[in-house]
Amino acid sequence: MKNRRSLLLSAGALLIASGVPSFAQQDMTRDEYIGAVSARYVDKSPEMTYSKRYALREAATRISRVIPEATLIERRNHAVISIPEKTFFEFPEVSLRPDAVAVLTEVARILHDRKSIGLEVMAHYHSDGRASHAMVESGRRAVAIQAALLSRKVPERRVLASGLGEAWPTDANTTIQGRERNRRIDFVIRNEF
């Protein structure tokens, strides 16, 4: 297993490794970005088989039901579950909340049931401060969730972690509520990468 430092570095360098340009160079929506980052993991065939599509949809639905605050967005070759950060973390802490551990145990069980499904944890942060701080904090949260899943015997190749910092806000950062909505976790679920 990789050590924590290399996990943080790999989470921070994910965009460079994926060939996706920096956020400053992009002019795309959040969903387009998720598609661009996840494109390297998506089944390259024109159509997924019915059984693969069913397994993906079934796993995404089961995971979204475990997390009441989650929003499920289904795409052709993947699904995105957007979750408020407060579900897993007490701001500004990086350690998982006790109730979040139970949620991640259930997510791990679902991943064990569906061996063809992979998950990428994409953590987002607000832009109240330095961009580098937001990138590091979001990376630490993504790695904490990844580590919790790995400790529940989910194979490392099936769980990736990405800290995206302040790049994709869903609300204005001018209010406390807006910053809270921007601190979120996205689970991108796709057939194994």
Side-chain angles (χ1 to χ4, degrees):
M1 187 168 120
K2 296 178 182 175
N3 64 33
R4 185 181 171 120
R5 178 175 160 72
S6 66
L7 284 173
L8 282 172
L9 291 174
S10 65
L14 176 69
L15 298 177
I16 296 166
S18 68
V20 176
S22 71
F23 294 114
Q25 299 169 339
Q26 297 182 47
D27 185 26
M28 58 177 66
T29 67
R30 179 173 167 264
D31 289 340
E32 290 171 334
Y33 171 73
I34 289 173
V37 170
S38 62
R40 64 204 148 119
Y41 306 118
V42 174
D43 183 357
K44 300 294 186 199
S45 62
E47 289 291 326
M48 282 195 298
T49 63
Y50 175 79
S51 61
K52 283 184 177 184
R53 188 172 299 132
Y54 174 81
L56 179 82
R57 180 172 288 152
E58 190 261 346
T61 303
R62 284 177 60 193
I63 291 172
S64 67
R65 286 183 185 153
V66 170
I67 308 163
E69 304 88 9
T71 303
L72 174 62
I73 303 163
E74 291 187 38
R75 297 288 180 240
R76 182 174 160 207
N77 290 329
H78 65 280
V80 179
I81 300 173
S82 191
I83 310 153
E85 180 200 47
K86 64 183 178 183
T87 304
F88 295 111
F89 305 99
E90 220 30 83
F91 181 75
E93 299 298 319
V94 180
S95 56
L96 290 168
R97 296 169 49 144
D99 52 336
V101 174
V103 168
L104 291 174
T105 300
E106 183 62 22
V107 170
R109 193 176 68 70
I110 293 167
L111 290 173
H112 284 296
D113 290 349
R114 288 288 182 187
K115 302 219 182 294
S116 66
I117 299 299
L119 177 103
E120 182 170 4
V121 180
M122 296 177 133
H124 303 267
Y125 204 72
H126 62 75
S127 65
D128 189 26
R130 294 186 328 267
S132 60
H133 174 72
M135 186 66 92
V136 168
E137 288 300 313
S138 63
R140 291 175 63 201
R141 285 164 173 74
V143 168
I145 293 173
Q146 179 190 38
L149 292 170
L150 294 177
S151 72
R152 283 155 184 78
K153 306 292 188 239
V154 176
E156 188 174 359
R157 64 183 171 76
R158 293 179 57 204
V159 182
L160 298 175
S162 304
L164 301 179
E166 60 187 35
W168 291 103
T170 57
D171 205 339
N173 283 297
T174 55
T175 65
I176 293 171
Q177 295 83 8
R179 288 190 293 272
E180 186 176 302
R181 280 190 285 278
N182 288 334
R183 292 189 306 267
R184 68 190 185 282
I185 308 294
D186 289 341
F187 286 171
V188 180
I189 302 164
R190 64 184 67 77
N191 284 302
E192 194 161 342
F193 6 100

